């Protein structure tokens, strides 16, 4: 269970940083720095750079993602920005525009 | 997540603005501004340093900032609150610590006052406001640390400075002198009474 949840009707304008799982259902603008899992759920809108261990995108994300372990773009996701992660999963149906850096 | 609710977890910090139409529970830390058409709960252990505009507010943690609550404010026993409160209903439990002004009359006027103050701030820049509000809580530990090192340096410095000045001043001259005066200066400014006392005692 995620410890931090940004609900669907919430707008956060600024920086979110934390050491625990973060689930975004609403809108976040600014920056997200997390030590754990970051999940941008379906219906969420994020205009922010995201840093996390695992990053899962199911909603709409505009910004650069740095995942220390894994980045996953779910089928309904829409991402514009650069992706940096050792493992990247792009599901069939996901929309993505940006650079991919897998540290090869 | 049975009901619509947003949670800022214990280990999470938000600096900036949170606004929206659902309940918000803060267990971690928020710096900036909170604007909700629902309830805000500041849990025990949480720290909120923000101007708050909500329907109802329940505090059992720490809140610093001006609050407008259109329905009610409840300060529980463990609450620590500094800032003005404007709400038609105020419940304060025994044990709650509060400093500020309470206005249970004209909420709209209070809201306008907070809004005008908030409107004046963004001209400076939101991030700067956030940093300013971070400063007081972050600085003390850092300020508290140097005196210890200064005292340690005071103990150590006289022993080191004397031999270095006598033996190696010619060789290491260009590199080391800039470093020593700084240390010596800091010691001289902060700690000589301590150093002298200890030398005398010994």
């Amino acid at each position: 269970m995620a410890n931090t949840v940004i609900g669907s009707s919430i707008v956060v304008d600024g920086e979110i940083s934390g050491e625990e799982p973060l689930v975004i259902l609403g809108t976040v603008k600014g920056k997200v720095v997390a030590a754990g899992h970051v999940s941008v759920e379906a219906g969420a809108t994020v205009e922010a750079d995201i840093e996390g261990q695992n990053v899962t995108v199911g909603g709409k994300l505009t910004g650069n993602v740095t995942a220390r372990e894994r980045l996953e773009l779910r089928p309904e996701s829409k991402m514009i920005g650069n992706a940096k992660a050792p493992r990247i999963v792009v599901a069939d149906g996901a929309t993505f525009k940006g650079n991919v850096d897998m540290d090869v | 997540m049975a009901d619509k609710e947003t949670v800022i977890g214990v280990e999470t910090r938000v600096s900036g603005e949170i606004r929206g139409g659902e309940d918000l529970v803060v267990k971690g830390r928020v710096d900036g501004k909170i604007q909700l058409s629902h309830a805000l709960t500041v849990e025990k252990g949480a720290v909120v340093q923000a101007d708050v505009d909500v329907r109802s507010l329940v505090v059992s943690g720490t809140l610093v900032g001006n609050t407008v609550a259109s329905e009610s404010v409840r300060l529980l026993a463990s609450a620590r609150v500094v800032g003005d409160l404007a709400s038609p209903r105020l419940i304060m439990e025994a044990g709650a610590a509060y400093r500020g002004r309470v206005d249970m009359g004209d909420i709209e006027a209070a809201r306008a006052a907070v809004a005008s103050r908030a409107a004046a701030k963004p001209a400076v820049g939101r991030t700067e406001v956030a940093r300013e509000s971070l400063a007081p809580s972050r600085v003390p530990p850092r300020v508290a640390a140097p005196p210890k090192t200064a005292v340690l340096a005071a103990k150590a410095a006289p022993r080191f400075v004397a031999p270095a000045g006598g033996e190696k001043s010619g060789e290491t001259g260009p590199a080391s002198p800039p470093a020593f005066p700084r240390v010596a200066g800091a010691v001289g400014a902060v700690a000589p009474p301590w150093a002298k006392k200890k030398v005398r005692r010994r």
Side-chain angles (χ1 to χ4, degrees), chain A residues 1 3-20 25, chain B residues 1 4 6-7 9-22 36 126:
Chain A
M1 181 60 198
N3 295 312
T4 294
V5 181
I6 307 298
S8 56
S9 60
I10 291 285
V11 178
V12 176
D13 200 337
E15 183 175 338
I16 303 176
S17 53
E19 308 281 321
E20 62 199 338
L25 298 152
Chain B
M1 236 171 23
K4 276 189 109 185
T6 289
V7 181
V10 181
E11 302 280 324
T12 298
R13 167 195 209 108
V14 175
S15 49
E17 190 179 331
I18 300 177
R19 55 181 188 272
E22 65 190 81
L36 301 170
R126 192 175 288 125

PDB file of all heavy atoms in Angstrom, chain A residues 1 3-20 25, chain B residues 1 4 6-7 9-22 36 126:
ATOM      1  N   MET A   1       0.841  -1.207   0.000  1.00  0.00           N
ATOM      2  CA  MET A   1       0.000   0.000   0.000  1.00  0.00           C
ATOM      3  C   MET A   1       0.867   1.245   0.000  1.00  0.00           C
ATOM      4  O   MET A   1       1.809   1.351   0.772  1.00  0.00           O
ATOM      5  CB  MET A   1      -0.896  -0.043   1.249  1.00  0.00           C
ATOM      6  CG  MET A   1      -1.860   1.144   1.363  1.00  0.00           C
ATOM      7  SD  MET A   1      -2.979   1.245  -0.023  1.00  0.00           S
ATOM      8  CE  MET A   1      -3.534   2.941   0.123  1.00  0.00           C
ATOM      9  N   ASN A   3       2.145   4.841   0.618  1.00  0.00           N
ATOM     10  CA  ASN A   3       2.046   5.691   1.795  1.00  0.00           C
ATOM     11  C   ASN A   3       1.668   7.118   1.447  1.00  0.00           C
ATOM     12  O   ASN A   3       1.137   7.828   2.268  1.00  0.00           O
ATOM     13  CB  ASN A   3       3.351   5.672   2.554  1.00  0.00           C
ATOM     14  CG  ASN A   3       3.636   4.289   3.103  1.00  0.00           C
ATOM     15  OD1 ASN A   3       2.785   3.669   3.699  1.00  0.00           O
ATOM     16  ND2 ASN A   3       4.829   3.790   2.855  1.00  0.00           N
ATOM     17  N   THR A   4       2.005   7.520   0.227  1.00  0.00           N
ATOM     18  CA  THR A   4       1.618   8.861  -0.184  1.00  0.00           C
ATOM     19  C   THR A   4       0.749   8.770  -1.427  1.00  0.00           C
ATOM     20  O   THR A   4       1.105   8.110  -2.393  1.00  0.00           O
ATOM     21  CB  THR A   4       2.860   9.727  -0.459  1.00  0.00           C
ATOM     22  OG1 THR A   4       3.563   9.933   0.757  1.00  0.00           O
ATOM     23  CG2 THR A   4       2.461  11.077  -1.031  1.00  0.00           C
ATOM     24  N   VAL A   5      -0.401   9.396  -1.354  1.00  0.00           N
ATOM     25  CA  VAL A   5      -1.333   9.376  -2.472  1.00  0.00           C
ATOM     26  C   VAL A   5      -1.736  10.808  -2.809  1.00  0.00           C
ATOM     27  O   VAL A   5      -2.152  11.557  -1.927  1.00  0.00           O
ATOM     28  CB  VAL A   5      -2.614   8.575  -2.116  1.00  0.00           C
ATOM     29  CG1 VAL A   5      -3.558   8.544  -3.289  1.00  0.00           C
ATOM     30  CG2 VAL A   5      -2.265   7.177  -1.657  1.00  0.00           C
ATOM     31  N   ILE A   6      -1.588  11.170  -4.056  1.00  0.00           N
ATOM     32  CA  ILE A   6      -2.096  12.454  -4.521  1.00  0.00           C
ATOM     33  C   ILE A   6      -3.393  12.144  -5.263  1.00  0.00           C
ATOM     34  O   ILE A   6      -3.364  11.596  -6.353  1.00  0.00           O
ATOM     35  CB  ILE A   6      -1.095  13.159  -5.464  1.00  0.00           C
ATOM     36  CG1 ILE A   6       0.306  13.273  -4.825  1.00  0.00           C
ATOM     37  CG2 ILE A   6      -1.620  14.526  -5.884  1.00  0.00           C
ATOM     38  CD1 ILE A   6       0.380  14.089  -3.570  1.00  0.00           C
ATOM     39  N   GLY A   7      -4.504  12.466  -4.654  1.00  0.00           N
ATOM     40  CA  GLY A   7      -5.815  12.097  -5.191  1.00  0.00           C
ATOM     41  C   GLY A   7      -6.170  12.761  -6.504  1.00  0.00           C
ATOM     42  O   GLY A   7      -5.526  13.711  -6.933  1.00  0.00           O
ATOM     43  N   SER A   8      -7.227  12.246  -7.133  1.00  0.00           N
ATOM     44  CA  SER A   8      -7.561  12.653  -8.491  1.00  0.00           C
ATOM     45  C   SER A   8      -7.984  14.116  -8.613  1.00  0.00           C
ATOM     46  O   SER A   8      -7.853  14.711  -9.679  1.00  0.00           O
ATOM     47  CB  SER A   8      -8.649  11.740  -9.052  1.00  0.00           C
ATOM     48  OG  SER A   8      -9.758  11.753  -8.189  1.00  0.00           O
ATOM     49  N   SER A   9      -8.498  14.695  -7.538  1.00  0.00           N
ATOM     50  CA  SER A   9      -8.931  16.097  -7.664  1.00  0.00           C
ATOM     51  C   SER A   9      -7.935  17.048  -6.988  1.00  0.00           C
ATOM     52  O   SER A   9      -8.272  18.174  -6.664  1.00  0.00           O
ATOM     53  CB  SER A   9     -10.329  16.270  -7.077  1.00  0.00           C
ATOM     54  OG  SER A   9     -10.314  15.925  -5.718  1.00  0.00           O
ATOM     55  N   ILE A  10      -6.725  16.567  -6.792  1.00  0.00           N
ATOM     56  CA  ILE A  10      -5.712  17.386  -6.135  1.00  0.00           C
ATOM     57  C   ILE A  10      -4.677  17.876  -7.151  1.00  0.00           C
ATOM     58  O   ILE A  10      -4.288  17.142  -8.068  1.00  0.00           O
ATOM     59  CB  ILE A  10      -4.998  16.576  -5.029  1.00  0.00           C
ATOM     60  CG1 ILE A  10      -5.940  16.304  -3.861  1.00  0.00           C
ATOM     61  CG2 ILE A  10      -3.737  17.277  -4.540  1.00  0.00           C
ATOM     62  CD1 ILE A  10      -6.218  17.462  -2.948  1.00  0.00           C
ATOM     63  N   VAL A  11      -4.284  19.122  -6.979  1.00  0.00           N
ATOM     64  CA  VAL A  11      -3.216  19.676  -7.797  1.00  0.00           C
ATOM     65  C   VAL A  11      -2.051  20.042  -6.876  1.00  0.00           C
ATOM     66  O   VAL A  11      -2.244  20.777  -5.916  1.00  0.00           O
ATOM     67  CB  VAL A  11      -3.679  20.947  -8.550  1.00  0.00           C
ATOM     68  CG1 VAL A  11      -2.526  21.533  -9.360  1.00  0.00           C
ATOM     69  CG2 VAL A  11      -4.863  20.638  -9.445  1.00  0.00           C
ATOM     70  N   VAL A  12      -0.904  19.504  -7.163  1.00  0.00           N
ATOM     71  CA  VAL A  12       0.293  19.873  -6.408  1.00  0.00           C
ATOM     72  C   VAL A  12       1.205  20.655  -7.339  1.00  0.00           C
ATOM     73  O   VAL A  12       1.540  20.186  -8.427  1.00  0.00           O
ATOM     74  CB  VAL A  12       1.045  18.639  -5.866  1.00  0.00           C
ATOM     75  CG1 VAL A  12       2.329  19.061  -5.179  1.00  0.00           C
ATOM     76  CG2 VAL A  12       0.163  17.869  -4.909  1.00  0.00           C
ATOM     77  N   ASP A  13       1.553  21.843  -6.881  1.00  0.00           N
ATOM     78  CA  ASP A  13       2.405  22.699  -7.699  1.00  0.00           C
ATOM     79  C   ASP A  13       3.676  22.940  -6.891  1.00  0.00           C
ATOM     80  O   ASP A  13       3.683  23.748  -5.985  1.00  0.00           O
ATOM     81  CB  ASP A  13       1.656  24.018  -7.956  1.00  0.00           C
ATOM     82  CG  ASP A  13       2.214  24.743  -9.161  1.00  0.00           C
ATOM     83  OD1 ASP A  13       3.379  24.479  -9.497  1.00  0.00           O
ATOM     84  OD2 ASP A  13       1.490  25.565  -9.743  1.00  0.00           O
ATOM     85  N   GLY A  14       4.719  22.213  -7.215  1.00  0.00           N
ATOM     86  CA  GLY A  14       5.946  22.342  -6.433  1.00  0.00           C
ATOM     87  C   GLY A  14       6.723  21.046  -6.456  1.00  0.00           C
ATOM     88  O   GLY A  14       6.690  20.310  -7.435  1.00  0.00           O
ATOM     89  N   GLU A  15       7.386  20.768  -5.365  1.00  0.00           N
ATOM     90  CA  GLU A  15       8.228  19.578  -5.331  1.00  0.00           C
ATOM     91  C   GLU A  15       7.724  18.565  -4.310  1.00  0.00           C
ATOM     92  O   GLU A  15       7.364  18.920  -3.202  1.00  0.00           O
ATOM     93  CB  GLU A  15       9.665  19.983  -4.984  1.00  0.00           C
ATOM     94  CG  GLU A  15      10.613  18.805  -4.991  1.00  0.00           C
ATOM     95  CD  GLU A  15      12.064  19.215  -4.773  1.00  0.00           C
ATOM     96  OE1 GLU A  15      12.413  20.370  -5.008  1.00  0.00           O
ATOM     97  OE2 GLU A  15      12.836  18.329  -4.351  1.00  0.00           O
ATOM     98  N   ILE A  16       7.714  17.312  -4.733  1.00  0.00           N
ATOM     99  CA  ILE A  16       7.386  16.235  -3.809  1.00  0.00           C
ATOM    100  C   ILE A  16       8.623  15.387  -3.648  1.00  0.00           C
ATOM    101  O   ILE A  16       9.195  14.917  -4.630  1.00  0.00           O
ATOM    102  CB  ILE A  16       6.245  15.345  -4.354  1.00  0.00           C
ATOM    103  CG1 ILE A  16       5.003  16.183  -4.648  1.00  0.00           C
ATOM    104  CG2 ILE A  16       5.921  14.224  -3.378  1.00  0.00           C
ATOM    105  CD1 ILE A  16       3.886  15.393  -5.282  1.00  0.00           C
ATOM    106  N   SER A  17       9.078  15.207  -2.433  1.00  0.00           N
ATOM    107  CA  SER A  17      10.223  14.337  -2.232  1.00  0.00           C
ATOM    108  C   SER A  17       9.931  13.402  -1.077  1.00  0.00           C
ATOM    109  O   SER A  17       9.244  13.768  -0.131  1.00  0.00           O
ATOM    110  CB  SER A  17      11.475  15.165  -1.953  1.00  0.00           C
ATOM    111  OG  SER A  17      11.254  16.066  -0.896  1.00  0.00           O
ATOM    112  N   GLY A  18      10.414  12.200  -1.189  1.00  0.00           N
ATOM    113  CA  GLY A  18      10.100  11.252  -0.127  1.00  0.00           C
ATOM    114  C   GLY A  18      10.857   9.954  -0.236  1.00  0.00           C
ATOM    115  O   GLY A  18      11.552   9.685  -1.218  1.00  0.00           O
ATOM    116  N   GLU A  19      10.680   9.164   0.797  1.00  0.00           N
ATOM    117  CA  GLU A  19      11.406   7.902   0.914  1.00  0.00           C
ATOM    118  C   GLU A  19      10.442   6.727   0.818  1.00  0.00           C
ATOM    119  O   GLU A  19      10.773   5.631   1.220  1.00  0.00           O
ATOM    120  CB  GLU A  19      12.108   7.835   2.277  1.00  0.00           C
ATOM    121  CG  GLU A  19      12.965   9.037   2.603  1.00  0.00           C
ATOM    122  CD  GLU A  19      14.301   8.994   1.909  1.00  0.00           C
ATOM    123  OE1 GLU A  19      14.881   7.897   1.819  1.00  0.00           O
ATOM    124  OE2 GLU A  19      14.757  10.031   1.417  1.00  0.00           O
ATOM    125  N   GLU A  20       9.242   6.981   0.366  1.00  0.00           N
ATOM    126  CA  GLU A  20       8.242   5.919   0.380  1.00  0.00           C
ATOM    127  C   GLU A  20       7.462   5.923  -0.923  1.00  0.00           C
ATOM    128  O   GLU A  20       7.556   6.870  -1.695  1.00  0.00           O
ATOM    129  CB  GLU A  20       7.296   6.123   1.564  1.00  0.00           C
ATOM    130  CG  GLU A  20       6.540   7.433   1.477  1.00  0.00           C
ATOM    131  CD  GLU A  20       5.977   7.849   2.822  1.00  0.00           C
ATOM    132  OE1 GLU A  20       5.813   6.999   3.671  1.00  0.00           O
ATOM    133  OE2 GLU A  20       5.700   9.038   2.994  1.00  0.00           O
ATOM    134  N   LEU A  25      -2.684  10.236  -8.649  1.00  0.00           N
ATOM    135  CA  LEU A  25      -3.935  10.085  -9.392  1.00  0.00           C
ATOM    136  C   LEU A  25      -4.379  11.428  -9.942  1.00  0.00           C
ATOM    137  O   LEU A  25      -5.229  11.504 -10.809  1.00  0.00           O
ATOM    138  CB  LEU A  25      -5.025   9.537  -8.468  1.00  0.00           C
ATOM    139  CG  LEU A  25      -4.776   8.143  -7.859  1.00  0.00           C
ATOM    140  CD1 LEU A  25      -5.488   7.989  -6.537  1.00  0.00           C
ATOM    141  CD2 LEU A  25      -5.236   7.067  -8.818  1.00  0.00           C
TER     142      LEU A  25
ATOM    143  N   MET B   1      -7.670   3.356   0.577  1.00  0.00           N
ATOM    144  CA  MET B   1      -8.176   4.354  -0.367  1.00  0.00           C
ATOM    145  C   MET B   1      -9.643   4.106  -0.672  1.00  0.00           C
ATOM    146  O   MET B   1     -10.084   4.135  -1.810  1.00  0.00           O
ATOM    147  CB  MET B   1      -7.361   4.275  -1.654  1.00  0.00           C
ATOM    148  CG  MET B   1      -6.740   5.600  -2.019  1.00  0.00           C
ATOM    149  SD  MET B   1      -5.583   5.542  -3.349  1.00  0.00           S
ATOM    150  CE  MET B   1      -5.972   4.097  -4.294  1.00  0.00           C
ATOM    151  N   LYS B   4     -12.327   9.063  -1.291  1.00  0.00           N
ATOM    152  CA  LYS B   4     -11.409   9.984  -1.954  1.00  0.00           C
ATOM    153  C   LYS B   4     -10.578  10.699  -0.901  1.00  0.00           C
ATOM    154  O   LYS B   4     -11.095  11.442  -0.080  1.00  0.00           O
ATOM    155  CB  LYS B   4     -12.211  11.007  -2.769  1.00  0.00           C
ATOM    156  CG  LYS B   4     -12.591  10.502  -4.121  1.00  0.00           C
ATOM    157  CD  LYS B   4     -13.184  11.620  -4.950  1.00  0.00           C
ATOM    158  CE  LYS B   4     -12.264  12.043  -6.052  1.00  0.00           C
ATOM    159  NZ  LYS B   4     -12.761  13.201  -6.787  1.00  0.00           N
ATOM    160  N   THR B   6      -6.405  12.188  -0.136  1.00  0.00           N
ATOM    161  CA  THR B   6      -5.001  12.325  -0.506  1.00  0.00           C
ATOM    162  C   THR B   6      -4.163  12.260   0.753  1.00  0.00           C
ATOM    163  O   THR B   6      -4.520  12.849   1.766  1.00  0.00           O
ATOM    164  CB  THR B   6      -4.776  13.655  -1.240  1.00  0.00           C
ATOM    165  OG1 THR B   6      -5.374  13.572  -2.526  1.00  0.00           O
ATOM    166  CG2 THR B   6      -3.297  13.944  -1.416  1.00  0.00           C
ATOM    167  N   VAL B   7      -3.083  11.518   0.678  1.00  0.00           N
ATOM    168  CA  VAL B   7      -2.221  11.343   1.840  1.00  0.00           C
ATOM    169  C   VAL B   7      -0.794  11.752   1.491  1.00  0.00           C
ATOM    170  O   VAL B   7      -0.258  11.331   0.477  1.00  0.00           O
ATOM    171  CB  VAL B   7      -2.207   9.866   2.300  1.00  0.00           C
ATOM    172  CG1 VAL B   7      -1.316   9.699   3.523  1.00  0.00           C
ATOM    173  CG2 VAL B   7      -3.609   9.366   2.585  1.00  0.00           C
ATOM    174  N   GLY B   9       2.540  11.004   2.956  1.00  0.00           N
ATOM    175  CA  GLY B   9       3.064  10.032   3.915  1.00  0.00           C
ATOM    176  C   GLY B   9       4.144  10.578   4.833  1.00  0.00           C
ATOM    177  O   GLY B   9       4.668  11.664   4.630  1.00  0.00           O
ATOM    178  N   VAL B  10       4.451   9.770   5.825  1.00  0.00           N
ATOM    179  CA  VAL B  10       5.393  10.159   6.877  1.00  0.00           C
ATOM    180  C   VAL B  10       6.744  10.587   6.312  1.00  0.00           C
ATOM    181  O   VAL B  10       7.349  11.557   6.769  1.00  0.00           O
ATOM    182  CB  VAL B  10       5.598   8.973   7.853  1.00  0.00           C
ATOM    183  CG1 VAL B  10       6.552   9.353   8.964  1.00  0.00           C
ATOM    184  CG2 VAL B  10       4.272   8.534   8.436  1.00  0.00           C
ATOM    185  N   GLU B  11       7.212   9.845   5.334  1.00  0.00           N
ATOM    186  CA  GLU B  11       8.550  10.085   4.798  1.00  0.00           C
ATOM    187  C   GLU B  11       8.541  11.007   3.589  1.00  0.00           C
ATOM    188  O   GLU B  11       9.506  11.057   2.842  1.00  0.00           O
ATOM    189  CB  GLU B  11       9.190   8.750   4.383  1.00  0.00           C
ATOM    190  CG  GLU B  11       9.288   7.743   5.498  1.00  0.00           C
ATOM    191  CD  GLU B  11      10.474   8.016   6.400  1.00  0.00           C
ATOM    192  OE1 GLU B  11      11.508   8.447   5.885  1.00  0.00           O
ATOM    193  OE2 GLU B  11      10.336   7.824   7.624  1.00  0.00           O
ATOM    194  N   THR B  12       7.422  11.675   3.372  1.00  0.00           N
ATOM    195  CA  THR B  12       7.301  12.486   2.167  1.00  0.00           C
ATOM    196  C   THR B  12       7.203  13.964   2.513  1.00  0.00           C
ATOM    197  O   THR B  12       6.630  14.338   3.523  1.00  0.00           O
ATOM    198  CB  THR B  12       6.063  12.063   1.355  1.00  0.00           C
ATOM    199  OG1 THR B  12       6.237  10.717   0.961  1.00  0.00           O
ATOM    200  CG2 THR B  12       5.894  12.919   0.117  1.00  0.00           C
ATOM    201  N   ARG B  13       7.785  14.758   1.625  1.00  0.00           N
ATOM    202  CA  ARG B  13       7.764  16.192   1.836  1.00  0.00           C
ATOM    203  C   ARG B  13       7.302  16.862   0.549  1.00  0.00           C
ATOM    204  O   ARG B  13       7.773  16.528  -0.526  1.00  0.00           O
ATOM    205  CB  ARG B  13       9.187  16.622   2.180  1.00  0.00           C
ATOM    206  CG  ARG B  13       9.405  18.095   2.138  1.00  0.00           C
ATOM    207  CD  ARG B  13      10.917  18.370   2.132  1.00  0.00           C
ATOM    208  NE  ARG B  13      11.133  19.641   2.752  1.00  0.00           N
ATOM    209  CZ  ARG B  13      11.664  19.790   3.942  1.00  0.00           C
ATOM    210  NH1 ARG B  13      12.053  18.744   4.621  1.00  0.00           N
ATOM    211  NH2 ARG B  13      11.822  20.970   4.445  1.00  0.00           N
ATOM    212  N   VAL B  14       6.370  17.797   0.681  1.00  0.00           N
ATOM    213  CA  VAL B  14       5.924  18.562  -0.477  1.00  0.00           C
ATOM    214  C   VAL B  14       6.262  20.019  -0.223  1.00  0.00           C
ATOM    215  O   VAL B  14       5.905  20.569   0.817  1.00  0.00           O
ATOM    216  CB  VAL B  14       4.399  18.424  -0.693  1.00  0.00           C
ATOM    217  CG1 VAL B  14       3.950  19.331  -1.828  1.00  0.00           C
ATOM    218  CG2 VAL B  14       4.028  16.987  -0.989  1.00  0.00           C
ATOM    219  N   SER B  15       6.993  20.616  -1.140  1.00  0.00           N
ATOM    220  CA  SER B  15       7.185  22.059  -1.004  1.00  0.00           C
ATOM    221  C   SER B  15       6.577  22.728  -2.220  1.00  0.00           C
ATOM    222  O   SER B  15       6.937  22.431  -3.350  1.00  0.00           O
ATOM    223  CB  SER B  15       8.661  22.408  -0.833  1.00  0.00           C
ATOM    224  OG  SER B  15       9.436  21.778  -1.810  1.00  0.00           O
ATOM    225  N   GLY B  16       5.631  23.596  -1.970  1.00  0.00           N
ATOM    226  CA  GLY B  16       4.890  24.229  -3.053  1.00  0.00           C
ATOM    227  C   GLY B  16       3.434  24.343  -2.664  1.00  0.00           C
ATOM    228  O   GLY B  16       3.116  24.550  -1.505  1.00  0.00           O
ATOM    229  N   GLU B  17       2.590  24.164  -3.646  1.00  0.00           N
ATOM    230  CA  GLU B  17       1.173  24.407  -3.407  1.00  0.00           C
ATOM    231  C   GLU B  17       0.366  23.130  -3.612  1.00  0.00           C
ATOM    232  O   GLU B  17       0.600  22.391  -4.560  1.00  0.00           O
ATOM    233  CB  GLU B  17       0.709  25.490  -4.380  1.00  0.00           C
ATOM    234  CG  GLU B  17      -0.662  26.017  -4.088  1.00  0.00           C
ATOM    235  CD  GLU B  17      -1.065  27.119  -5.076  1.00  0.00           C
ATOM    236  OE1 GLU B  17      -0.170  27.824  -5.576  1.00  0.00           O
ATOM    237  OE2 GLU B  17      -2.260  27.243  -5.348  1.00  0.00           O
ATOM    238  N   ILE B  18      -0.559  22.884  -2.700  1.00  0.00           N
ATOM    239  CA  ILE B  18      -1.486  21.768  -2.885  1.00  0.00           C
ATOM    240  C   ILE B  18      -2.883  22.355  -2.900  1.00  0.00           C
ATOM    241  O   ILE B  18      -3.270  23.069  -1.982  1.00  0.00           O
ATOM    242  CB  ILE B  18      -1.388  20.741  -1.737  1.00  0.00           C
ATOM    243  CG1 ILE B  18       0.026  20.169  -1.645  1.00  0.00           C
ATOM    244  CG2 ILE B  18      -2.397  19.620  -1.932  1.00  0.00           C
ATOM    245  CD1 ILE B  18       0.218  19.209  -0.480  1.00  0.00           C
ATOM    246  N   ARG B  19      -3.654  22.053  -3.944  1.00  0.00           N
ATOM    247  CA  ARG B  19      -5.032  22.524  -3.954  1.00  0.00           C
ATOM    248  C   ARG B  19      -5.920  21.439  -4.552  1.00  0.00           C
ATOM    249  O   ARG B  19      -5.440  20.572  -5.294  1.00  0.00           O
ATOM    250  CB  ARG B  19      -5.158  23.842  -4.728  1.00  0.00           C
ATOM    251  CG  ARG B  19      -4.629  23.827  -6.127  1.00  0.00           C
ATOM    252  CD  ARG B  19      -4.787  25.190  -6.795  1.00  0.00           C
ATOM    253  NE  ARG B  19      -4.444  25.074  -8.203  1.00  0.00           N
ATOM    254  CZ  ARG B  19      -3.217  25.207  -8.684  1.00  0.00           C
ATOM    255  NH1 ARG B  19      -2.208  25.448  -7.876  1.00  0.00           N
ATOM    256  NH2 ARG B  19      -2.978  25.066  -9.965  1.00  0.00           N
ATOM    257  N   GLY B  20      -7.184  21.490  -4.234  1.00  0.00           N
ATOM    258  CA  GLY B  20      -8.061  20.485  -4.798  1.00  0.00           C
ATOM    259  C   GLY B  20      -9.347  20.308  -4.035  1.00  0.00           C
ATOM    260  O   GLY B  20      -9.654  21.054  -3.112  1.00  0.00           O
ATOM    261  N   GLY B  21     -10.100  19.308  -4.436  1.00  0.00           N
ATOM    262  CA  GLY B  21     -11.440  19.096  -3.913  1.00  0.00           C
ATOM    263  C   GLY B  21     -11.613  17.761  -3.239  1.00  0.00           C
ATOM    264  O   GLY B  21     -12.564  17.028  -3.523  1.00  0.00           O
ATOM    265  N   GLU B  22     -10.701  17.410  -2.376  1.00  0.00           N
ATOM    266  CA  GLU B  22     -10.888  16.197  -1.585  1.00  0.00           C
ATOM    267  C   GLU B  22     -10.126  16.318  -0.279  1.00  0.00           C
ATOM    268  O   GLU B  22      -9.357  17.256  -0.092  1.00  0.00           O
ATOM    269  CB  GLU B  22     -10.434  14.966  -2.361  1.00  0.00           C
ATOM    270  CG  GLU B  22      -8.957  14.916  -2.653  1.00  0.00           C
ATOM    271  CD  GLU B  22      -8.637  13.789  -3.640  1.00  0.00           C
ATOM    272  OE1 GLU B  22      -8.817  13.978  -4.856  1.00  0.00           O
ATOM    273  OE2 GLU B  22      -8.216  12.736  -3.188  1.00  0.00           O
ATOM    274  N   LEU B  36      -8.087  23.801  -0.087  1.00  0.00           N
ATOM    275  CA  LEU B  36      -8.978  22.669  -0.341  1.00  0.00           C
ATOM    276  C   LEU B  36     -10.426  23.076  -0.113  1.00  0.00           C
ATOM    277  O   LEU B  36     -10.708  23.931   0.726  1.00  0.00           O
ATOM    278  CB  LEU B  36      -8.676  21.517   0.624  1.00  0.00           C
ATOM    279  CG  LEU B  36      -7.277  20.908   0.640  1.00  0.00           C
ATOM    280  CD1 LEU B  36      -7.158  19.973   1.829  1.00  0.00           C
ATOM    281  CD2 LEU B  36      -6.987  20.168  -0.636  1.00  0.00           C
ATOM    282  N   ARG B 126       7.700  31.488  -6.026  1.00  0.00           N
ATOM    283  CA  ARG B 126       7.190  30.458  -5.143  1.00  0.00           C
ATOM    284  C   ARG B 126       8.309  29.653  -4.490  1.00  0.00           C
ATOM    285  O   ARG B 126       8.271  29.358  -3.315  1.00  0.00           O
ATOM    286  CB  ARG B 126       6.274  29.521  -5.941  1.00  0.00           C
ATOM    287  CG  ARG B 126       5.472  28.599  -5.059  1.00  0.00           C
ATOM    288  CD  ARG B 126       4.519  27.794  -5.883  1.00  0.00           C
ATOM    289  NE  ARG B 126       3.426  28.589  -6.395  1.00  0.00           N
ATOM    290  CZ  ARG B 126       3.102  28.675  -7.680  1.00  0.00           C
ATOM    291  NH1 ARG B 126       3.792  28.031  -8.570  1.00  0.00           N
ATOM    292  NH2 ARG B 126       2.094  29.412  -8.072  1.00  0.00           N
TER     293      ARG B 126
END
